Amino acid sequence: MRPAELGTPVEHSLRIVVVEDDPLALADIASILRRGGHDVVATCETAGEMAVAMRDLAPDAVVFDVHLKTGNGISTFRAGGRDRPCAGIAVTGDRSDETARAAIANDVLAFVLKPVNPVQLLTDIRLAYARARDISRLKSENREYAAALDDPQGRS
């Protein structure tokens, strides 16, 4: 499949880290992303590898399994995103409300259920990335506004 056949045409390639402890699912997700026109900068099977990739590679997005054998994907994403914010896309077979609430509470911007639908995954990545950029812009504007309130004469 070409990028246009998989969903929204790619405006530009996103740098994506994929985290999945099932090697077949990891290969499948990475393949979907590459065929969708994205750059998979790392594939990881553990929470530790995920943290390192987020820190060192500064991806635009992280597509991760919620329940990793080595840790919780949601909490690892949250911790890694403190220093380098990016779009988080949780992939899971867990349909519980508790897991969905935990994802939302930890800044995950998309929640994809397994088995992964390629068009849905690519669409959700685009939406999550756009939301992450908007959130980052708004946070920056809020910091600038707060600074202006603290020093209305611009003396700093």
Side-chain angles (χ1 to χ4, degrees):
M1 288 184 175
R2 294 185 309 271
E5 294 172 334
L6 288 173
T8 307
V10 175
E11 297 158 9
H12 71 280
S13 177
L14 297 180
R15 300 178 72 253
I16 302 173
V17 169
V18 180
V19 186
E20 170 62 65
D21 55 13
D22 176 337
L24 293 176
L26 177 65
D28 186 43
I29 293 169
S31 176
I32 291 167
L33 297 173
R34 287 184 182 110
R35 289 189 331 254
H38 298 293
D39 182 15
V40 176
V41 295
T43 57
C44 308
E45 293 186 12
T46 69
E49 290 173 354
M50 176 182 178
V52 169
M54 288 181 70
R55 182 191 69 221
D56 294 350
L57 300 175
D60 297 314
V62 179
V63 177
F64 63 91
D65 187 3
V66 170
H67 301 293
L68 298 166
K69 293 174 189 149
T70 60
N72 182 293
I74 294 171
S75 59
T76 304
F77 171 76
R78 175 65 178 195
R82 285 190 185 114
D83 295 327
R84 292 191 182 265
C86 64
I89 298 89
V91 177
T92 186
D94 183 346
R95 289 166 162 70
S96 73
D97 290 343
E98 180 181 317
T99 298
R101 280 194 295 277
I104 292 166
N106 285 284
D107 299 328
V108 174
L109 297 173
F111 197 80
V112 177
L113 294 173
K114 293 179 183 178
V116 173
N117 174 301
V119 173
Q120 178 191 358
L121 177 62
L122 292 170
T123 300
D124 286 348
I125 286 172
R126 280 278 162 220
L127 292 171
Y129 177 70
R131 282 188 211 128
R133 281 193 347 204
D134 289 345
I135 290 167
S136 180
R137 180 183 49 79
L138 289 170
K139 285 180 178 179
S140 177
E141 288 174 6
N142 284 340
R143 283 190 299 273
E144 291 170 11
Y145 180 68
L149 288 176
D150 288 343
D151 186 13
Q153 302 299 318
R155 295 174 288 218
S156 312

